[in-house]
Amino acid sequence: MPPVSTFSLVARDPETGDLGVAVASKFLAVGAVVPSARAGVGAVATQSYANTSYGPRGLAVLEVGGSPEDAHRIFAATDPGHAQRQYGLVAASGAAFSFTGDTCHPWAGGRAGANYAAQGNLLTGPEVVDALVEVFLERTDLPFPERLVAALLAADRAGGDQRGRQSAALLVVGEGKGYGGFNDRWIDLRVDDHPDPVPELERLLGIHRLLFNPARNARPLTDEEIRWVQATAARLGLYAGPADGAWGAAVEEALKALLGRENLEERYAGGPQLEEEVFAALREAYGEA
């Protein structure tokens, strides 16, 4: 079994209670192996000859009120390969724990504090973990998902996995924040095979924000912009009325159709108004009418 030699940050947002894992590695599809999280319970990263049972088992311990240290003791007592494992856990309370086994490939180590556990193995050195922690603690100006990715990018640029780069992933959970409000899986993004995966992960997060952020700060469409919607929708066979800049039910349906073609329907609350970035995305997609 190849080692999942990687660096990861497990964290909790003290403002919202959201939980997340950001991870990168010279390993195919690291997001399929390392991160686990459940809103209101905790988050876990398991790596270095990863025992993938640690994620669900760790969450089960946290769910019944156990601590990250309790999960650690259970892992140590039940896994004959425990000395080659590495993992981090953060509970919904913010309690955190990071473990590095004695036989993990060097450089290997981790740090834990309130709301975070940072760890890595087969790294260029301790500066990688230090970068994870320092950026996470310092960049409180960023929203939680962007903060996790910023920390991951800083660690990558500090040296990262000594073998190189291949994949990265971001998992963030929050109560009712999944698609449609049906589950807690708010952001689940993976770059499985890429020469520079962390910036690519950052790009995907930007797309996710564009598509799924709640509609806020919409501003009225001008007559010229309404004419653009009418003419563009007409060109695509989505509207049969005049391009006169007058709003009406048929124009609203045409706008909904344009937004739906670009998966932007979550960003529209109805009426002759859109957020600036959403209208800009439509113009970029369809150009001049």
Side-chain angles (χ1 to χ4, degrees):
M1 180 177 65
V4 187
S5 303
T6 186
F7 52 100
S8 64
L9 176 64
V10 186
R12 171 183 176 270
D13 182 356
E15 299 298 321
T16 64
D18 294 339
L19 295 148
V21 181
V23 56
S25 181
K26 179 67 167 68
F27 184 88
L28 180 68
V30 70
V33 176
V34 171
S36 298
R38 190 179 309 150
V41 175
V44 182
T46 176
Q47 56 206 46
S48 181
Y49 298 96
N51 183 330
T52 56
S53 75
Y54 282 10
R57 290 170 63 204
L59 293 176
V61 172
L62 299 177
E63 188 170 30
V64 297
S67 69
E69 289 87 346
D70 290 333
H72 162 67
R73 284 189 282 270
I74 291 170
F75 297 160
T78 58
D79 182 1
H82 187 256
Q84 63 184 350
R85 316 293 188 203
Q86 186 177 57
Y87 47 86
L89 304 96
V90 174
S93 66
F97 184 84
S98 180
F99 171 79
T100 299
D102 292 340
T103 61
C104 287
H105 295 299
W107 189 88
R111 293 171 57 183
N115 298 308
Y116 75 87
Q119 47 280 316
N121 63 93
L122 206 63
L123 303 182
T124 57
E127 65 277 0
V128 178
V129 170
D130 290 342
L132 278 172
V133 174
E134 289 163 12
V135 172
F136 177 72
L137 294 179
E138 291 171 3
R139 293 303 309 273
T140 55
D141 58 305
L142 293 174
F144 183 59
E146 282 79 4
R147 190 174 165 193
L148 293 176
V149 174
L152 197 68
L153 182 59
D156 179 78
R157 292 328 193 220
D161 188 325
Q162 65 178 256
R163 301 169 303 170
R165 302 179 175 104
Q166 186 169 11
S167 66
L170 174 67
L171 174 63
V172 184
V173 298
E175 294 284 358
K177 288 189 174 182
Y179 183 79
F182 295 110
N183 61 30
D184 67 353
R185 192 169 291 263
W186 177 23
I187 299 171
D188 187 359
L189 299 173
R190 301 179 184 185
V191 179
D192 288 344
D193 185 27
H194 193 280
D196 202 3
V198 182
E200 177 66 5
L201 183 66
E202 185 175 42
R203 186 185 73 84
L204 294 180
L205 177 58
I207 296 173
H208 188 282
R209 292 300 211 173
L210 174 64
L211 298 181
F212 302 117
N213 268 5
R216 299 190 185 113
N217 303 317
R219 51 92 172 163
L221 293 171
T222 67
D223 291 350
E224 179 182 352
E225 290 168 340
I226 293 172
R227 281 193 291 272
W228 180 89
V229 170
Q230 292 169 322
T232 300
R235 172 164 53 86
L236 297 170
L238 303 172
Y239 173 72
D244 57 3
W247 186 259
V251 181
E252 181 158 337
E253 290 305 308
L255 177 57
K256 288 180 180 178
L258 289 175
L259 292 165
R261 286 168 67 107
E262 299 304 314
N263 294 308
L264 287 164
E265 61 271 17
E266 297 288 318
R267 300 294 300 272
Y268 182 54
Q273 56 185 359
L274 277 179
E275 294 167 274
E276 188 66 44
E277 65 176 347
V278 177
F279 187 74
L282 285 181
R283 292 296 294 263
E284 182 177 355
Y286 296 109
E288 294 302 318

